[in-house]
Amino acid sequence: QEPESPEASQFRLAAGRIPEVPFGLSTSAAVLSHYGVAANTVTLFRRVDNDRRDLDINSKEVDAEKMTRFIRTNELRLVTEYNPVTTIGVMQSSLQLHLLLITDKMSPKHPERMRRYRAAAELFKGKILFILIDSNLKSNERIVSFFKLKKSQLPALAIFHAPDEEQDVLALDEVSVERIQDFCNRFLQ
């Protein structure tokens, strides 16, 4: 409501930290009404899935750091495909735990694998960054070899904790929500 409030100042700081994300600030009653915003709120509109995420900045101590973390966590897709364009977003994610599905995107089983992988991603939103690695891309060969996998062992899941490089790998005959959930929970424990 107040463009010069401390919250608005923190919002501007967060905006400066994430130059690749367009930011806007509105105090217009018509705009707030149109989006159903009643309180001071950071609203993230995700183009990828036409979804939005709201962070109420009245209810708790929210600073630029928390706003930045909120945006970084929510700007990514439920499953982000790893490629030269998404590398920076993946590496700059506040989520330190990455689960990679290394698979052949050309496989007739790919659409069903992705449906199940996305369903599992919902269960770990905000905890684990789910990433798709297309094993057909030459640029992804080093990732496959990093996890000491061969093409014959794919599809596979690889979980990686960025700070200490702790990792685990699971070759899969079939991708299922249950197997993904068990694999992630075992690693988290």
Side-chain angles (χ1 to χ4, degrees):
Q1 317 288 329
E2 301 289 326
E4 301 308 318
S5 70
E7 295 87 2
S9 172
Q10 291 297 306
F11 178 78
R12 287 185 189 90
L13 273 174
R17 293 178 181 177
I18 313 173
E20 68 277 13
V21 175
F23 279 74
L25 186 63
S26 179
T27 58
S28 162
V31 171
L32 299 175
S33 172
H34 176 78
Y35 290 110
V37 175
N40 286 332
T41 304
V42 173
T43 300
L44 178 67
F45 298 96
R46 299 187 336 175
R47 289 186 217 147
V48 178
D49 54 9
N50 292 324
D51 200 2
R52 82 183 240 190
R53 298 284 191 265
D54 291 334
L55 174 65
D56 179 356
I57 57 176
N58 281 336
S59 64
K60 49 193 168 289
E61 285 294 316
V62 177
D63 58 10
E65 191 65 39
K66 288 181 183 163
M67 285 182 210
T68 302
R69 189 169 44 250
F70 166 78
I71 293 163
R72 286 279 183 222
T73 300
N74 290 288
E75 76 171 324
L76 296 170
R77 301 172 184 150
L78 208 49
V79 174
T80 300
E81 184 171 353
Y82 187 84
N83 59 45
V85 175
T86 62
T87 301
I88 293 170
V90 168
M91 296 305 170
Q92 290 181 346
S93 170
S94 61
L95 300 176
Q96 301 286 311
L97 200 52
H98 298 174
L99 180 70
L100 289 66
L101 172 60
I102 305 169
T103 187
D104 176 358
K105 278 183 63 178
M106 304 311 280
S107 164
K109 295 180 178 180
H110 181 71
E112 183 59 23
R113 284 179 186 149
M114 283 306 296
R115 187 188 67 71
R116 293 175 180 166
Y117 194 55
R118 277 192 191 92
E122 278 285 352
L123 303 172
F124 294 96
K125 197 179 342 184
K127 293 182 190 146
I128 301 174
L129 182 59
F130 277 60
I131 301 168
L132 170 68
I133 305 289
D134 184 359
S135 59
N136 292 316
L137 291 180
K138 191 139 185 75
S139 59
N140 288 338
E141 286 176 0
R142 61 182 181 78
I143 295 169
V144 176
S145 66
F146 176 81
F147 289 104
K148 297 171 183 63
L149 289 165
K150 295 176 182 65
K151 282 223 179 204
S152 61
Q153 295 172 292
L154 302 179
L157 290 175
I159 198 161
F160 181 77
H161 186 245
D164 58 13
E165 297 190 7
E166 188 178 341
Q167 59 179 280
D168 196 5
V169 176
L170 175 67
L172 297 166
D173 45 348
E174 183 184 325
V175 175
S176 73
V177 175
E178 295 76 21
R179 292 207 56 201
I180 295 168
Q181 194 174 7
D182 289 346
F183 182 65
C184 290
N185 284 333
R186 268 199 332 269
F187 191 82
L188 288 168
Q189 289 170 357

